[in-house]
Amino acid sequence: MLSFDEAVTKIFTPLTFLNGAAQYPADKLPEILFMTSYPPRECGIATYSQDLLKALDNKFNDSFSLKVCALEAGPSNHAYPDEVEYVLDTEDAAEFIDLANAIMMDQQVKLVVVEHEFGLFRHAGEDAFLQFLYSLTKPVIVAFHTVLPQPGNAMKINVQRIVAASASIIVMTKHAATILKQDYDVAHDKIVVIAHGTHLVPHLDKDLLKDKYGLSGRKVLSTFGLLSSGKSIETTLDALPAIVEQSPDALFLVIGKTHPGVVQSEGETYRNMLKAKVEELSLQSHVKFINQYLPLQDLLEYLQLTDIYLFTSKDRNQAVSGTFSYAMSCGCPVISTPIPHAKEVLRTDTGILFDFQDSGQLAAGVNRLMNDEPLRSAFSSSTLQRIVPTAWENSAIAHALLLQRTVEQVTDAETPTNKTLLAKHLSNNIHLQYRLPAINLAHLKKMTTEVGMIQFSKINQPDIDSGYTLDDNARALIAVCMHYELTGDEGDIIYIRTYLHFIENCQLPEGNFLNYKDAAQNFTDQNFETNLSDANGRALWALGFLVAKSAFLPADIIATAVGIVERALLQITTMRSTRAMAFAIKGLYYYNLENRSYKTTELLKTLADRLVQMYRHESEPHWRWFESYLTYANSILPEAMLCAWQETGDIVYKSVAKSTFDFLLSLTFNDKEIKVISNKSWLQKGQEPAQHGEQPIDVAYTILAMKRFYEVFKTESYAHKMTTAFNWFLGNNHLRQIIYNPCTGGCYDGLEMEQVNLNQGAESTLSYLMARMTIERQRLANAAFTSK
């Protein structure tokens, strides 16, 4: 092993060492080194790796440091970004040895990840790469971007040697995993399938995008990627005459410049052949070449305006396609050749497969979709549901968990024997900390009209036909008041007025409220078919919360809210619903913070005493609850009892609050995550909790309650569980998928057994926002305490 000085000398010549010394202070984050091609080098793996690193950094930037060894084939003058710490010339076998020495000398590097494609290492030979792997004593994860079936003996042995030197192998499809097991004899437990990541997109209006790019009135077919003959673009050109015959407005976009390797070996021969074919078939007005390496935002907009995406690769062994995945993430109906990736993700309700280089089948598939708009729409919706688990945010979670597990397996094997060694041992582990997203009201505002907040959405598009509810506008009032208190954003005032006006218009002369309005602002029959008690209680909570902010809100807003509350108090004693009473108690508690009166205190006590009576009637040593079942929004009940204690000082309320809340937490938390009561089957006394069917509202209300309990009892487990609960939105759930969509600012409507509900309605989005701002208040309080 080289000394540190020798290693540094060798690193600088000939291996390029870009950013600082080879050792780091002990208090730095553990470092993960990625060996990969990397932008500005233009290739698919480079783009993939940059997207992956960005996603990992966005999700877990306080958990580890990410560095890159950029792979080059020969000398280069690329200006790499700061994360690139090494540049490896893969044509020089000696540089592999230098890199291994540098990695071993760098105490901060805990793990190496190799984004592997056989072509990346062909110049110095796979032997140099294997020698590099076997010279490392730090764990290595290899991600195979290509897995060839039915290998020759030399290929099989080479792959087996790479696998033997690796802690884990990543592949992107189940098909690739099967090939590794069946054709290469790789053990099942060494293979991890992590799908190619995709970008979340805002799903912008297709017609507006077509207008932006000068494509109005055209039915757009598209394909993209670095151009080469393997993409078989001529298959589409040969199909176009039959397509144009039925759809004269069809336009085929060929997006992307020619692959640099192709340009180097044969120039623009292939592109010129395609252009000649366009002229030969008289397709000049139906084909457009966009000969650019487009910025990501532009590329995603082109895909969002696409009516049908065409994938025509003639490589039967192409394991995965990033271009194919990106098109699906934009909701494109896809027609594809049957590469393994396509056969795995496309189903009869998401796309169409056709035989390699069969222009007739391609034309038939395009014409079928072109003439059936409802089918295209159905394909688009199904495609999004199929592809959303592959979002880069979810890919980052899967990678981070694998990185953590791999490093822990190594440190666990070291078995420290004293406290000093144990502390060092634990410091080597990766402790995953989810990064808090910025607070974003974009989807709330998108869902809000001059009337109020619309109830439902289709994906992230407001569904005006679903109308409006008092429930959602009450929640919206609370959320925006919280935001205004945090930020002082004057733009919030117009939204506060909108939601308050909606609540006011739902109040009847008797003081109680109706809940449901249609798009034309008419009260619907549903108001007379369902119990409205909870909606009435939730309105009181929102109004009381608003009045409690009178110190910084306009006086006329407060006066309006006070008037609504005073009329509503006439009906409050008629409440019997458990949750309605709890919502009302919270509202009265907040109301009394600024408008204290004996009357409201007595009303609060009346409702709290009813809950105490229910608790005494139903509770048993192993069932400390108000009812014989647990349903939705359960945390609101113990929180209401704690509010009652804060208002009155009655110790009975505090005791019931603590007993019931701790009982609820015992049913909904394990060591790693929260699992709220399923909406598929309410939990009856004596039964086991049902799995899945988790709603954002239940997680949010748990967080709101947890903050109050932590403030009162100062129990650290409450603070810890608050973070654990919020991480449910960020991916710490049984699917390990995000529930909050950082692209839109919306929150998915639910977590099911095998998928998330992609609709981003008012209730889920507002629940997330209330939870996020509660966490922010706690974060600021912690920071203020620490600074004292």
Side-chain angles (χ1 to χ4, degrees):
M1 178 63 64
L2 296 176
S3 70
F4 174 74
D5 290 339
E6 290 171 330
V8 171
T9 301
K10 292 182 79 66
I11 286 165
F12 274 95
T13 54
L15 179 65
T16 309
F17 184 61
L18 299 181
N19 293 326
Q23 289 185 323
Y24 296 84
D27 60 348
K28 288 197 69 173
L29 292 171
E31 185 174 298
I32 312 298
L33 180 66
F34 283 77
M35 286 182 64
T36 178
S37 58
Y38 205 73
R41 183 176 177 180
E42 294 176 348
C43 78
I45 292 180
T47 302
Y48 169 92
S49 297
Q50 186 176 58
D51 286 340
L52 174 58
L53 264 68
K54 284 181 179 178
L56 282 165
D57 189 59
N58 285 337
K59 291 293 288 184
F60 301 106
N61 70 324
D62 292 330
S63 304
F64 38 62
S65 173
L66 302 172
K67 297 297 181 180
V68 174
C69 173
L71 304 179
E72 288 283 0
S76 77
N77 58 357
H78 285 137
Y80 282 109
D82 291 343
E83 63 266 25
V84 175
E85 189 153 327
Y86 307 98
V87 175
L88 175 67
D89 180 359
T90 59
E91 292 186 349
D92 188 341
E95 289 203 10
F96 286 88
I97 300 172
D98 297 337
L99 177 63
N101 288 333
I103 292 171
M104 294 309 300
M105 292 303 299
D106 189 339
Q107 298 302 308
Q108 212 62 36
V109 175
K110 306 301 180 187
L111 178 67
V112 178
V113 180
V114 181
E115 300 296 339
H116 183 277
E117 179 69 66
F118 289 99
L120 292 175
F121 300 102
R122 70 180 184 272
H123 299 287
E126 286 286 328
D127 287 345
F129 175 59
L130 282 169
Q131 184 179 1
F132 163 79
L133 290 181
Y134 279 91
S135 64
L136 295 178
T137 60
K138 297 181 179 183
V140 177
I141 295 172
V142 173
F144 280 129
H145 287 249
T146 296
V147 180
L148 296 174
Q150 301 175 339
N153 191 55
M155 170 71 77
K156 181 175 181 177
I157 292 173
N158 188 41
V159 168
Q160 289 176 332
R161 287 175 175 172
I162 294 172
V163 170
S166 306
S168 293
I169 298 296
I170 297 174
V171 291
M172 298 182 194
T173 65
K174 295 176 183 177
H175 179 77
T178 299
I179 293 174
L180 279 180
K181 287 182 285 188
Q182 293 182 352
D183 293 3
Y184 294 87
D185 302 323
V186 178
H188 172 79
D189 59 2
K190 204 160 192 176
I191 303 170
V192 180
V193 179
I194 304 178
H196 193 296
T198 56
H199 294 279
L200 296 171
V201 298
H203 301 292
L204 302 172
D205 183 89
K206 192 183 294 286
D207 291 333
L208 291 178
L209 287 175
K210 286 184 178 180
D211 184 61
K212 174 180 177 178
Y213 289 98
L215 302 174
S216 295
R218 305 302 295 267
K219 289 182 179 177
V220 177
L221 311 170
S222 75
T223 193
F224 87 93
L226 293 172
L227 197 61
S228 68
S229 60
K231 293 188 178 296
S232 194
I233 303 299
E234 63 272 19
T235 300
T236 301
L237 298 183
D238 288 334
L240 270 178
I243 295 169
V244 170
E245 184 178 353
Q246 292 196 23
S247 300
D249 52 357
L251 177 66
F252 177 42
L253 301 181
V254 184
I255 304 170
K257 62 192 300 185
T258 304
H259 195 290
V262 173
V263 172
Q264 187 175 15
S265 62
E266 62 183 60
E268 292 288 2
T269 302
Y270 181 63
R271 183 181 295 273
N272 292 335
M273 181 275 288
L274 295 175
K275 289 182 176 180
K277 182 176 279 288
V278 168
E279 292 189 9
E280 175 189 338
L281 297 174
S282 300
L283 293 171
Q284 292 92 329
S285 61
H286 298 283
V287 179
K288 182 177 181 179
F289 290 91
I290 302 174
N291 188 8
Q292 300 175 53
Y293 194 84
L294 290 177
L296 178 63
Q297 188 64 34
D298 293 352
L299 172 61
L300 294 177
E301 288 187 351
Y302 270 111
L303 292 175
Q304 288 174 81
L305 65 78
T306 293
D307 293 292
I308 304 173
Y309 184 81
L310 305 179
F311 185 82
T312 55
S313 171
K314 61 184 179 182
D315 182 356
R316 296 171 184 269
N317 294 323
Q318 184 170 351
V320 69
S321 167
T323 65
F324 178 92
S325 299
Y326 282 21
M328 290 186 70
S329 74
C330 292
C332 297
V334 175
I335 300 179
S336 173
T337 49
I339 66 166
H341 187 195
K343 290 194 289 186
E344 192 164 304
V345 300
L346 285 186
R347 305 230 176 126
T348 55
D349 62 346
T350 56
I352 297 173
L353 297 176
F354 74 99
D355 290 337
F356 294 99
Q357 298 178 285
D358 192 324
S359 298
Q361 285 187 15
L362 175 58
V366 170
N367 286 334
R368 176 189 171 200
L369 282 180
M370 281 291 202
N371 295 321
D372 194 340
E373 194 281 330
L375 182 60
R376 291 204 310 275
S377 180
F379 273 20
S380 180
S381 296
S382 298
T383 294
L384 288 173
Q385 188 67 67
R386 288 282 294 158
I387 204 67
V388 73
T390 70
W392 278 117
E393 289 76 4
N394 294 329
S395 178
I397 294 168
H399 277 88
L401 290 170
L402 177 60
L403 300 178
Q404 181 187 51
R405 186 165 65 249
T406 302
V407 172
E408 284 179 353
Q409 287 171 350
V410 172
T411 54
D412 286 347
E414 294 173 358
T415 57
T417 57
N418 59 49
K419 289 184 178 179
T420 302
L421 285 175
L422 178 61
K424 181 179 180 181
H425 167 83
L426 293 175
S427 70
N428 286 333
N429 286 339
I430 294 173
H431 305 285
L432 294 183
Q433 300 179 60
Y434 289 80
R435 183 181 188 179
L436 284 175
I439 297 171
N440 181 4
L441 300 191
H443 192 58
L444 175 148
K445 293 178 179 180
K446 184 175 183 176
M447 293 282 288
T448 300
T449 69
E450 70 280 359
V451 175
M453 192 166 188
I454 296 168
Q455 183 177 193
F456 297 139
S457 75
K458 295 177 179 178
I459 309 297
N460 68 319
Q461 300 304 313
D463 180 11
I464 187 61
D465 291 336
S466 67
Y468 307 86
T469 68
L470 173 67
D471 282 331
D472 291 327
N473 282 274
R475 282 186 281 256
L477 183 61
I478 294 170
V480 180
C481 282
M482 293 173 77
H483 187 261
Y484 186 65
E485 186 176 16
L486 274 172
T487 67
D489 184 348
E490 291 297 326
D492 291 340
I493 296 298
I494 188 172
Y495 290 93
I496 290 173
R497 291 188 186 278
T498 297
Y499 305 135
L500 179 61
H501 183 63
F502 185 92
I503 294 172
E504 184 178 32
N505 286 339
C506 287
Q507 190 171 38
L508 300 175
E510 297 81 7
N512 57 316
F513 301 87
L514 297 180
N515 190 27
Y516 301 99
K517 282 188 171 185
D518 62 21
Q521 304 181 54
N522 300 310
F523 288 114
T524 70
D525 292 342
Q526 195 173 357
N527 288 291
F528 310 103
E529 299 166 352
T530 56
N531 191 318
L532 303 183
S533 295
D534 287 6
N536 277 255
R538 193 175 285 106
L540 278 170
W541 172 25
L543 293 164
F545 189 83
L546 173 64
V547 171
K549 312 304 175 186
S550 60
F552 54 83
L553 285 171
D556 66 302
I557 288 178
I558 301 300
T560 299
V562 168
I564 300 171
V565 171
E566 291 298 323
R567 290 190 294 275
L569 294 180
L570 300 173
Q571 298 289 331
I572 201 168
T573 57
T574 65
M575 286 185 174
R576 297 291 173 178
S577 162
T578 314
R579 282 154 190 76
M581 292 189 290
F583 287 131
I585 288 170
K586 285 189 67 174
L588 293 173
Y589 163 76
Y590 282 117
Y591 189 68
N592 255 10
L593 292 178
E594 292 293 332
N595 266 42
R596 180 168 297 279
S597 73
Y598 174 79
K599 177 181 68 173
T600 53
T601 299
E602 288 302 303
L603 287 171
L604 182 151
K605 289 172 65 177
T606 297
L607 299 181
D609 287 343
R610 289 179 185 173
L611 290 179
V612 170
Q613 289 174 350
M614 296 176 71
Y615 171 76
R616 288 173 174 167
H617 181 266
E618 290 292 344
S619 66
E620 298 173 359
H622 301 294
W623 186 266
R624 302 189 307 275
W625 197 244
F626 306 91
E627 302 162 307
S628 62
Y629 47 82
L630 287 160
T631 59
Y632 81 102
N634 297 297
S635 295
I636 200 75
L637 303 180
E639 186 191 4
M641 295 308 299
L642 199 56
C643 287
W645 170 76
Q646 289 178 304
E647 170 62 20
T648 67
D650 190 328
I651 196 66
V652 172
Y653 299 155
K654 185 179 184 182
S655 176
V656 171
K658 183 78 163 61
S659 176
T660 54
F661 195 51
D662 287 349
F663 169 70
L664 178 63
L665 298 185
S666 74
L667 294 174
T668 54
F669 279 86
N670 57 40
D671 292 340
K672 296 182 179 180
E673 62 193 19
I674 185 174
K675 284 182 175 290
V676 294
I677 302 302
S678 170
N679 70 339
K680 302 300 182 185
S681 176
W682 301 136
L683 177 60
Q684 303 291 327
K685 185 190 296 187
Q687 294 182 351
E688 291 295 318
Q691 298 298 309
H692 319 303
E694 301 172 58
Q695 302 295 299
I697 190 172
D698 292 296
V699 180
Y701 283 176
T702 301
I703 292 168
L704 268 63
M706 203 86 69
K707 183 174 187 298
R708 187 177 302 278
F709 274 80
Y710 177 68
E711 290 171 345
V712 169
F713 293 99
K714 305 302 181 187
T715 303
E716 285 302 318
S717 64
Y718 290 145
H720 174 71
K721 284 184 169 68
M722 197 187 314
T723 300
T724 299
F726 188 75
N727 287 344
W728 180 89
F729 290 102
L730 307 182
N732 188 29
N733 50 61
H734 78 268
L735 286 184
R736 301 296 183 256
Q737 293 183 26
I738 56 170
I739 309 299
Y740 169 67
N741 184 324
C743 175
T744 64
C747 180
Y748 298 135
D749 279 352
L751 178 68
E752 307 301 339
M753 181 181 296
E754 296 180 349
Q755 63 185 32
V756 295
N757 182 336
L758 296 185
N759 295 326
Q760 298 160 49
E763 179 188 288
S764 55
T765 296
L766 293 168
S767 295
Y768 167 81
L769 286 171
M770 286 190 283
R772 175 65 183 89
M773 287 183 281
T774 299
I775 292 291
E776 188 69 11
R777 290 288 300 273
Q778 187 61 45
R779 187 187 69 81
L780 294 173
N782 291 342
F785 178 81
T786 303
S787 66
K788 288 182 180 179

